[in-house]
Amino acid sequence: MGPNENVINQVSTLRDTDHDTSRAGGDIPAGTPYHRVLDRKTKGRGIPRGILAIVLLFGGLLGFGAVAAQISGQIDLLLGRDSIVTGGTEFTTVTLAATFASSALLIPWSMLIQRWLYGVKGRTMHSVTGVFRAAVLGRAVLVLVPVWAVYRPS
């Protein structure tokens, strides 16, 4: 078995150690596909929980965005900038950073939603194998930081 086949096997199944089975009322057999783990944990209540998860995630998107916009608007006012958030015409660096931060807050929010509604640990959301992938973060930083630095208005 080559290294790629091993990764494919890890991605296609969720190990017993990657989720909490105590709320499901029993053990989930090894090799159960990820989507079936959530289905089994809901015990037939999957559609209402799925709708609630979508509503909570969308609420987080709107809520985090609104709070970040207000904070960035206040910071821009203190710095004397005419931000688009406060009715001006400039899309400032602070507004851009607040937008990034509000989007980034959706990751832990979705992990909390999944833990609360399905009892599955949040680490399975950033990687099915349950490990943080630093190389992916590094590549994203190498692409986004220079773009952000070039865009930054004076």
Side-chain angles (χ1 to χ4, degrees), residues 48-107:
R49 282 189 187 187
I51 292 171
L52 180 60
I54 291 169
V55 168
L56 288 172
L57 189 63
F58 188 67
L61 174 70
L62 295 178
F64 294 143
V67 169
Q70 292 301 315
I71 292 171
S72 70
Q74 294 301 317
I75 292 171
D76 282 334
L77 282 176
L78 291 173
L79 295 174
R81 295 183 182 153
D82 189 26
S83 173
I84 197 168
V85 175
T86 57
T89 57
E90 293 182 37
F91 190 74
T92 64
T93 307
V94 176
T95 304
L96 183 64
T99 305
F100 286 161
S102 67
S103 296
L105 284 173
L106 289 176
I107 297 169

Coordinates of all heavy atoms in Angstrom, one line a residue, residues 48-107:
P48 N -34.0 18.2 11.1 CA -34.1 19.4 11.9 C -32.8 19.9 12.5 O -32.5 21.1 12.6 CB -35.0 19.0 13.1 CG -35.8 17.8 12.5 CD -34.9 17.1 11.5
R49 N -31.9 18.9 12.9 CA -30.6 19.3 13.4 C -29.7 20.0 12.3 O -29.0 20.9 12.5 CB -29.8 18.1 13.9 CG -30.3 17.8 15.3 CD -29.4 16.8 15.9 NE -30.0 16.3 17.2 CZ -29.4 15.5 18.0 NH1 -28.2 15.1 17.7 NH2 -29.9 15.2 19.1
G50 N -29.8 19.5 11.1 CA -29.1 20.0 9.9 C -29.6 21.4 9.6 O -28.8 22.3 9.4
I51 N -30.9 21.7 9.7 CA -31.4 23.0 9.4 C -31.0 23.9 10.6 O -30.6 25.1 10.3 CB -33.0 22.9 9.3 CG1 -33.3 22.2 8.0 CG2 -33.6 24.3 9.4 CD1 -34.8 21.9 7.9
L52 N -31.0 23.5 11.8 CA -30.6 24.3 12.9 C -29.1 24.6 12.8 O -28.7 25.8 13.1 CB -30.9 23.6 14.2 CG -30.4 24.3 15.5 CD1 -31.2 25.7 15.6 CD2 -30.7 23.5 16.7
A53 N -28.3 23.7 12.4 CA -26.9 23.9 12.2 C -26.7 25.0 11.1 O -25.8 25.9 11.3 CB -26.1 22.7 11.8
I54 N -27.4 25.0 10.0 CA -27.3 26.0 9.0 C -27.7 27.3 9.5 O -27.1 28.4 9.2 CB -28.1 25.5 7.7 CG1 -27.4 24.3 7.1 CG2 -28.2 26.7 6.7 CD1 -28.3 23.7 6.0
V55 N -28.8 27.4 10.2 CA -29.3 28.6 10.7 C -28.3 29.2 11.7 O -28.0 30.4 11.7 CB -30.7 28.4 11.4 CG1 -31.1 29.7 12.2 CG2 -31.7 28.1 10.3
L56 N -27.7 28.4 12.6 CA -26.7 28.9 13.6 C -25.5 29.4 12.9 O -24.9 30.4 13.2 CB -26.4 27.8 14.6 CG -27.5 27.5 15.6 CD1 -27.1 26.3 16.4 CD2 -27.7 28.7 16.5
L57 N -25.1 28.7 11.8 CA -23.9 29.1 11.1 C -24.1 30.4 10.4 O -23.3 31.3 10.4 CB -23.4 28.0 10.1 CG -22.1 28.3 9.4 CD1 -21.0 28.3 10.4 CD2 -21.9 27.2 8.4
F58 N -25.3 30.6 9.7 CA -25.6 31.8 9.1 C -25.8 32.9 10.0 O -25.4 34.1 9.8 CB -26.9 31.6 8.3 CG -27.3 32.8 7.4 CD1 -26.5 33.1 6.3 CD2 -28.4 33.6 7.6 CE1 -26.8 34.2 5.5 CE2 -28.7 34.6 6.8 CZ -27.9 34.9 5.8
G59 N -26.4 32.7 11.2 CA -26.5 33.7 12.3 C -25.1 34.1 12.7 O -24.8 35.3 13.0
G60 N -24.2 33.2 12.8 CA -22.8 33.5 13.2 C -22.1 34.4 12.1 O -21.4 35.3 12.4
L61 N -22.4 34.1 10.9 CA -21.8 34.8 9.8 C -22.3 36.3 9.9 O -21.5 37.2 9.8 CB -22.3 34.2 8.4 CG -21.9 35.0 7.2 CD1 -20.4 35.0 6.9 CD2 -22.6 34.4 6.0
L62 N -23.6 36.5 10.1 CA -24.2 37.8 10.2 C -23.7 38.5 11.5 O -23.4 39.7 11.4 CB -25.7 37.8 10.1 CG -26.3 37.3 8.8 CD1 -27.8 37.3 8.9 CD2 -25.8 38.2 7.6
G63 N -23.8 37.8 12.6 CA -23.4 38.4 13.9 C -22.0 38.8 13.9 O -21.6 39.9 14.4
F64 N -21.1 37.9 13.6 CA -19.6 38.2 13.6 C -19.3 39.3 12.7 O -18.5 40.2 13.0 CB -18.8 37.0 13.3 CG -18.9 35.9 14.3 CD1 -18.8 34.5 13.9 CD2 -19.0 36.1 15.7 CE1 -18.9 33.5 14.8 CE2 -19.1 35.1 16.6 CZ -19.0 33.8 16.2
G65 N -19.9 39.3 11.5 CA -19.7 40.4 10.5 C -20.2 41.7 11.0 O -19.5 42.8 10.8
A66 N -21.3 41.8 11.7 CA -21.9 43.0 12.2 C -21.0 43.6 13.3 O -20.7 44.8 13.3 CB -23.3 42.8 12.6
V67 N -20.6 42.7 14.2 CA -19.8 43.2 15.3 C -18.4 43.6 14.8 O -17.9 44.7 15.2 CB -19.6 42.0 16.4 CG1 -18.6 42.4 17.4 CG2 -20.9 41.8 17.0
A68 N -17.8 42.9 13.9 CA -16.5 43.3 13.4 C -16.6 44.6 12.6 O -15.7 45.4 12.7 CB -16.0 42.2 12.5
A69 N -17.7 44.8 11.9 CA -17.9 46.1 11.1 C -18.0 47.2 12.1 O -17.4 48.3 11.8 CB -19.1 46.0 10.2
Q70 N -18.7 47.1 13.2 CA -18.9 48.2 14.1 C -17.5 48.5 14.8 O -17.2 49.7 15.0 CB -19.9 47.8 15.2 CG -21.3 47.8 14.6 CD -21.7 49.1 14.0 OE1 -21.5 50.1 14.5 NE2 -22.3 49.0 12.8
I71 N -16.8 47.5 15.2 CA -15.5 47.7 15.8 C -14.5 48.4 14.8 O -13.9 49.3 15.2 CB -14.9 46.4 16.3 CG1 -15.8 45.9 17.5 CG2 -13.5 46.5 16.7 CD1 -15.4 44.5 18.0
S72 N -14.5 47.9 13.6 CA -13.6 48.5 12.6 C -14.0 49.9 12.3 O -13.2 50.8 12.1 CB -13.6 47.7 11.3 OG -14.8 47.8 10.6
G73 N -15.3 50.2 12.3 CA -15.8 51.6 12.1 C -15.3 52.5 13.2 O -14.9 53.7 12.9
Q74 N -15.4 52.0 14.4 CA -15.0 52.9 15.5 C -13.5 53.1 15.5 O -13.0 54.2 15.8 CB -15.4 52.2 16.8 CG -16.9 52.1 17.1 CD -17.5 53.5 17.1 OE1 -17.0 54.4 17.7 NE2 -18.6 53.6 16.4
I75 N -12.7 52.1 15.1 CA -11.3 52.2 15.0 C -10.9 53.2 13.9 O -10.1 54.1 14.1 CB -10.6 50.9 14.8 CG1 -10.7 50.0 16.0 CG2 -9.1 51.1 14.4 CD1 -10.2 48.6 15.8
D76 N -11.6 53.1 12.8 CA -11.4 54.1 11.7 C -11.7 55.5 12.1 O -11.0 56.5 11.7 CB -12.1 53.7 10.4 CG -11.5 52.6 9.7 OD1 -10.2 52.4 9.8 OD2 -12.1 51.8 9.0
L77 N -12.8 55.7 12.9 CA -13.1 57.0 13.4 C -12.1 57.6 14.3 O -11.7 58.8 14.2 CB -14.5 57.0 14.1 CG -15.7 56.9 13.2 CD1 -17.0 56.8 14.1 CD2 -15.8 58.2 12.4
L78 N -11.5 56.7 15.1 CA -10.4 57.2 16.0 C -9.2 57.5 15.2 O -8.4 58.4 15.6 CB -10.1 56.1 17.0 CG -11.2 55.8 18.1 CD1 -10.8 54.6 19.0 CD2 -11.4 57.0 19.0
L79 N -8.9 56.9 14.1 CA -7.8 57.1 13.3 C -8.0 58.3 12.3 O -7.1 58.7 11.6 CB -7.3 55.9 12.5 CG -6.8 54.7 13.4 CD1 -6.6 53.5 12.5 CD2 -5.6 55.1 14.1
G80 N -9.3 58.8 12.2 CA -9.6 59.9 11.3 C -9.8 59.5 9.9 O -9.7 60.3 9.0
R81 N -10.1 58.2 9.7 CA -10.4 57.7 8.3 C -11.9 57.7 8.0 O -12.7 57.6 8.9 CB -9.8 56.3 8.1 CG -8.3 56.3 8.3 CD -7.9 54.9 8.0 NE -6.4 54.8 8.1 CZ -5.8 53.6 8.5 NH1 -6.5 52.5 8.7 NH2 -4.5 53.6 8.6
D82 N -12.2 57.9 6.7 CA -13.5 57.9 6.2 C -13.9 56.5 5.7 O -13.8 56.2 4.5 CB -13.7 59.0 5.1 CG -15.1 59.2 4.7 OD1 -16.0 58.9 5.5 OD2 -15.3 59.6 3.6
S83 N -14.3 55.6 6.7 CA -14.5 54.2 6.3 C -15.9 54.0 5.7 O -16.8 54.8 5.9 CB -14.4 53.4 7.6 OG -14.8 52.1 7.3
I84 N -15.9 53.0 4.8 CA -17.2 52.7 4.2 C -18.2 52.2 5.2 O -19.4 52.3 5.0 CB -17.0 51.6 3.1 CG1 -18.1 51.5 2.1 CG2 -16.7 50.2 3.7 CD1 -17.9 50.7 0.9
V85 N -17.8 51.7 6.3 CA -18.7 51.2 7.4 C -19.4 52.4 8.0 O -20.6 52.3 8.4 CB -17.9 50.5 8.5 CG1 -18.8 50.1 9.6 CG2 -17.2 49.2 7.9
T86 N -18.8 53.6 8.1 CA -19.4 54.7 8.7 C -20.0 55.7 7.7 O -20.3 56.8 8.0 CB -18.3 55.5 9.6 OG1 -17.2 55.9 8.7 CG2 -17.8 54.7 10.7
G87 N -20.2 55.2 6.5 CA -20.9 56.0 5.5 C -19.9 56.7 4.5 O -20.4 57.5 3.7
G88 N -18.6 56.4 4.7 CA -17.7 57.1 3.8 C -17.4 56.3 2.5 O -18.3 55.5 2.1
T89 N -16.3 56.6 1.9 CA -16.0 56.0 0.6 C -14.8 55.1 0.6 O -14.6 54.4 -0.4 CB -15.8 57.1 -0.5 OG1 -14.8 58.0 -0.1 CG2 -17.1 57.9 -0.7
E90 N -14.0 55.1 1.7 CA -12.8 54.3 1.7 C -13.1 52.9 2.3 O -13.8 52.7 3.3 CB -11.8 55.0 2.6 CG -11.2 56.3 2.0 CD -10.2 56.8 2.9 OE1 -9.4 56.1 3.5 OE2 -10.1 58.1 3.1
F91 N -12.5 51.9 1.6 CA -12.4 50.5 2.2 C -11.1 50.4 2.8 O -10.1 50.1 2.2 CB -12.7 49.5 1.1 CG -12.9 48.1 1.6 CD1 -14.1 47.8 2.2 CD2 -11.9 47.2 1.5 CE1 -14.3 46.5 2.7 CE2 -12.1 45.9 2.0 CZ -13.3 45.6 2.6
T92 N -11.0 50.6 4.1 CA -9.7 50.7 4.8 C -9.1 49.3 5.2 O -9.8 48.3 5.1 CB -9.9 51.5 6.1 OG1 -10.7 50.8 7.0 CG2 -10.4 52.9 5.8
T93 N -7.9 49.4 5.6 CA -7.2 48.2 6.0 C -7.8 47.6 7.2 O -7.9 46.4 7.4 CB -5.7 48.5 6.3 OG1 -5.2 49.1 5.2 CG2 -4.9 47.2 6.6
V94 N -8.3 48.5 8.1 CA -8.9 48.0 9.3 C -10.2 47.2 9.0 O -10.5 46.2 9.6 CB -9.2 49.2 10.3 CG1 -10.0 48.7 11.5 CG2 -7.9 49.8 10.7
T95 N -11.0 47.8 8.0 CA -12.2 47.1 7.6 C -11.9 45.7 7.0 O -12.6 44.7 7.2 CB -13.0 48.0 6.6 OG1 -13.2 49.2 7.2 CG2 -14.3 47.3 6.2
L96 N -10.8 45.7 6.2 CA -10.4 44.4 5.5 C -10.0 43.4 6.6 O -10.4 42.3 6.5 CB -9.3 44.7 4.6 CG -8.8 43.5 3.8 CD1 -9.9 43.0 2.9 CD2 -7.6 43.9 3.0
A97 N -9.2 43.8 7.6 CA -8.8 42.9 8.6 C -10.0 42.4 9.5 O -10.1 41.3 9.9 CB -7.8 43.6 9.5
A98 N -11.0 43.3 9.7 CA -12.2 42.9 10.5 C -13.0 41.9 9.7 O -13.5 41.0 10.3 CB -13.0 44.2 10.8
T99 N -13.0 42.1 8.4 CA -13.7 41.1 7.5 C -13.1 39.8 7.6 O -13.7 38.7 7.7 CB -13.8 41.6 6.1 OG1 -14.4 42.9 6.0 CG2 -14.6 40.7 5.2
F100 N -11.7 39.7 7.5 CA -11.0 38.5 7.6 C -11.2 37.8 9.0 O -11.5 36.6 9.1 CB -9.5 38.7 7.4 CG -9.1 39.0 6.0 CD1 -7.8 39.6 5.8 CD2 -9.8 38.7 4.9 CE1 -7.4 39.8 4.5 CE2 -9.5 38.9 3.6 CZ -8.2 39.5 3.4
A101 N -11.2 38.7 10.0 CA -11.4 38.1 11.4 C -12.8 37.5 11.6 O -12.9 36.5 12.2 CB -11.1 39.2 12.4
S102 N -13.8 38.2 11.1 CA -15.1 37.7 11.2 C -15.3 36.4 10.5 O -16.0 35.5 10.9 CB -16.2 38.7 10.8 OG -16.1 39.0 9.4
S103 N -14.7 36.3 9.3 CA -14.7 35.0 8.6 C -14.0 33.9 9.3 O -14.4 32.8 9.4 CB -14.2 35.2 7.2 OG -14.9 36.1 6.4
A104 N -12.9 34.3 9.9 CA -12.1 33.3 10.6 C -12.8 32.8 11.9 O -12.6 31.6 12.3 CB -10.7 33.9 11.0
L105 N -13.6 33.6 12.5 CA -14.4 33.2 13.7 C -15.4 32.1 13.3 O -15.9 31.4 14.2 CB -15.0 34.4 14.3 CG -14.1 35.3 15.1 CD1 -14.9 36.5 15.6 CD2 -13.5 34.6 16.3
L106 N -15.8 32.0 12.1 CA -16.7 30.9 11.7 C -16.2 29.5 11.9 O -16.9 28.6 12.0 CB -17.2 31.1 10.3 CG -18.1 32.3 10.0 CD1 -18.4 32.5 8.5 CD2 -19.4 32.2 10.8
I107 N -14.9 29.4 11.9 CA -14.3 28.1 12.0 C -14.5 27.5 13.4 O -15.1 26.4 13.6 CB -12.8 28.1 11.7 CG1 -12.6 28.4 10.2 CG2 -12.1 26.7 12.0 CD1 -11.2 28.7 9.8

